[in-house]
């Protein structure tokens, strides 16, 4: 029996963009475009009438912007939303906010030569709409706000050599925000690969830095890896853990895709397995595909402890599922318990208390 097509409603104030998105999505036989409307107020009525599976949503629109409309969708009628936003600084900030609210994914709209630039996004747009249709939006809609920061009782870490490596993709902005914002200022050093364009990663790092007790930055080649800091892979280069004498350092470079991605979670995890071994903790979060599964398996084989986000709390249970099925994951946990488990592994006495 043929699967039902994914039914999509397009919301964008540009007639040209509506036309292009409609044509691009309709070119795939597994997608049905129900309509293309110019603003959220019209979209609200169309959602009631047509009950789409996925919405593509512009951010800057008249009468009500996309962020406000997304908030209403996620509070009143949670459903998969793919944001379509510009690659400007404002567009990056707004898109990251949308992902924190509960949008499944985004497609970056070019600022120049829109027709050519958007056409180059055809395959990405189609893939993300299909993935969104299968996403667990209730994982976002029902998620409690980030809890209080965790405080270590006692002497703290058994070694300053502890390294935490985290990989994420679709749904990762919200997941990483949840994990990092609950960690105390003296947490172990953290290296992160999140699938994201180069224009977004520095903005994401700055947003997290404002929200977290730890210091968060985009990784720089040669930077020393220190406790209380998190380093995010630039959106167009791989991040590896390296050594310079007795010190851990960030190694940033290389643009050839690995496991289909640059930056690649597998590249990060492989390097942590090589240089940190049993002093490391590997964490694989929500995301589409299999990037990171093989690398996490190498980490576990090297003596590292490994954690995976469980299916119920994942927006897309892809990367964690593959890793779990490969026996690369030692424990599967809900997102709300991952920061606690990281600290439990990295502390000498395993005693953790909540700071009220």
């Amino acid at each position: 029996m043929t699967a039902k097509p994914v039914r999509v409603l397009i919301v964008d104030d540009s007639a040209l963009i509506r036309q292009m998105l409609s044509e691009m999505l309709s070119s795939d036989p597994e997608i049905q475009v129900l309509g293309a409307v110019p603003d959220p107020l019209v979209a609200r009525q169309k959602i009631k009438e047509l009950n789409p599976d996925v919405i593509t949503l512009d951010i800057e629109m008249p009468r009500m912007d996309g962020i406000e409309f997304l908030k209403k969708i996620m509070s009143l009628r949670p459903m998969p939303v793919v944001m379509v936003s510009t690659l400007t600084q404002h567009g990056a900030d707004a898109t990251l906010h949308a992902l924190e609210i509960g949008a499944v994914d985004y497609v970056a709209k070019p600022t120049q030569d829109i027709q050519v630039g958007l056409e180059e996004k055809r395959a990405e747009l189609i893939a993300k709409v299909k993935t969104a249709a299968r996403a667990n939006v209730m994982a976002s809609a029902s998620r409690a706000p980030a809890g209080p920061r965790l405080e270590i009782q006692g002497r703290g870490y058994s070694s300053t050599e502890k390294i935490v490596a985290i990989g994420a993709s679709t749904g990762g902005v919200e997941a990483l925000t949840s994990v990092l914002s609950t960690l105390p200022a003296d947490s172990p050093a953290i290296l992160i690969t999140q699938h994201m364009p180069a224009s977004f990663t520095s903005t994401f790092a700055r947003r997290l830095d404002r929200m977290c007790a730890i210091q968060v930055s985009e990784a720089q080649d040669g930077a020393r890896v220190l406790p209380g800091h998190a380093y995010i892979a630039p959106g167009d280069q791989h991040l590896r853990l390296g050594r310079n004498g007795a010190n851990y350092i960030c190694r940033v470079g290389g643009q050839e895709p690995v496991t289909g991605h640059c930056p690649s979670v597998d590249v990060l995890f492989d390097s942590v397995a090589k240089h940190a071994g049993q002093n490391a903790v590997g964490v694989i979060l929500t995301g589409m595909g299999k990037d990171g599964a093989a690398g996490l398996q190498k980490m576990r084989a090297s003596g590292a402890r490994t954690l995976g986000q469980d299916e119920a709390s994942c927006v897309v249970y892809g990367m964690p599922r593959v890793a779990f099925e490969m026996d690369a994951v030692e424990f599967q946990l809900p997102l709300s318990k991952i920061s606690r488990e990281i600290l439990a592994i990295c502390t000498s006495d395993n005693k953790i208390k909540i700071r009220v």
Side-chain angles (χ1 to χ4, degrees):
M1 188 172 86
T2 304
K4 292 182 179 179
V6 176
R7 303 164 72 249
V8 182
L9 178 67
I10 296 165
V11 187
D12 197 295
D13 68 330
S14 165
L16 173 61
I17 298 295
R18 293 198 302 273
Q19 178 184 348
M20 291 190 67
L21 293 180
S22 296
E23 187 279 321
M24 290 163 67
L25 290 171
S26 296
S27 69
D28 190 293
E30 297 177 357
I31 295 175
Q32 177 186 359
V33 176
L34 299 178
V37 298
D39 65 62
L41 299 186
V42 180
R44 184 171 57 188
Q45 186 59 39
K46 289 296 183 181
I47 290 170
K48 293 177 182 178
E49 293 175 4
L50 303 173
N51 191 29
D53 301 314
V54 178
I55 296 173
T56 70
L57 182 60
D58 188 16
I59 288 178
E60 297 181 0
M61 290 180 291
R63 299 212 281 178
M64 181 188 297
D65 70 32
I67 297 295
E68 289 304 311
F69 188 47
L70 178 66
K71 289 178 182 177
K72 292 181 182 298
I73 291 172
M74 298 311 294
S75 63
L76 301 174
R77 188 174 181 170
M79 61 192 308
V81 176
V82 176
M83 305 303 294
V84 180
S85 65
T86 60
L87 281 170
T88 61
Q89 181 67 54
H90 174 72
D93 277 324
T95 300
L96 290 168
H97 187 198
L99 294 171
E100 290 164 0
I101 293 169
V104 174
D105 215 330
Y106 61 93
V107 174
K109 187 190 299 182
T111 54
Q112 297 180 343
D113 202 351
I114 290 177
Q115 287 185 283
V116 173
L118 199 56
E119 175 59 34
E120 293 173 351
K121 302 277 186 178
R122 180 186 293 261
E124 177 187 351
L125 173 68
I126 289 171
K128 288 184 173 181
V129 164
K130 289 181 177 180
T131 298
R134 302 190 299 271
N136 178 18
V137 294
M138 295 310 295
S140 294
S142 63
R143 186 165 296 148
R149 292 187 184 122
L150 300 172
E151 184 176 307
I152 304 305
Q153 185 181 53
R155 292 182 61 84
Y157 303 106
S158 57
S159 170
T160 56
E161 293 287 288
K162 292 293 186 183
I163 296 290
V164 179
I166 304 177
S169 185
T170 312
V173 167
E174 187 184 12
L176 285 165
T177 301
S178 176
V179 171
L180 298 185
S181 65
T182 56
L183 292 173
D186 62 345
S187 294
I190 302 170
L191 276 67
I192 298 165
T193 290
Q194 159 74 46
H195 297 158
M196 185 177 283
S199 55
F200 278 47
T201 45
S202 59
T203 302
F204 184 41
R206 287 193 296 270
R207 284 181 68 86
L208 285 172
D209 189 57
R210 292 194 297 269
M211 299 168 65
C212 299
I214 60 174
Q215 296 184 46
V216 184
S217 61
E218 190 176 56
Q220 301 292 321
D221 187 49
R224 188 176 171 190
V225 174
L226 298 170
H229 291 68
Y231 308 86
I232 298 178
D236 57 354
Q237 297 181 77
H238 296 297
L239 171 61
R240 296 174 174 87
L241 179 68
R243 279 273 195 180
N244 182 10
N247 298 322
Y248 288 124
I249 59 172
C250 292
R251 283 300 183 200
V252 176
Q255 297 182 309
E256 189 69 26
V258 175
T259 326
H261 296 278
C262 181
S264 165
V265 181
D266 272 329
V267 168
L268 172 61
F269 285 175
D270 286 355
S271 69
V272 174
K274 177 180 179 181
H275 292 291
Q278 64 184 3
N279 285 323
V281 181
V283 184
I284 192 160
L285 300 177
T286 175
M288 176 175 60
K290 64 179 183 179
D291 187 26
L296 195 68
Q297 190 176 50
K298 290 181 182 178
M299 285 189 66
R300 189 171 186 188
S302 73
R305 308 293 296 276
T306 59
L307 309 174
Q309 188 176 348
D310 70 1
E311 182 173 7
S313 66
C314 278
V315 173
V316 178
Y317 186 55
M319 288 159 47
R321 180 199 295 275
V322 176
F324 180 73
E325 291 174 349
M326 291 174 62
D327 200 31
V329 173
E330 186 178 358
F331 299 111
Q332 283 199 118
L333 297 167
L335 182 63
S336 60
K337 295 185 178 180
I338 286 177
S339 55
R340 173 181 289 273
E341 190 64 27
I342 290 170
L343 295 179
I345 291 170
C346 293
T347 54
S348 56
D349 57 12
N350 284 353
K351 292 180 182 178
I352 297 175
K353 64 180 182 181
I354 298 293
R355 183 193 303 167
V356 179

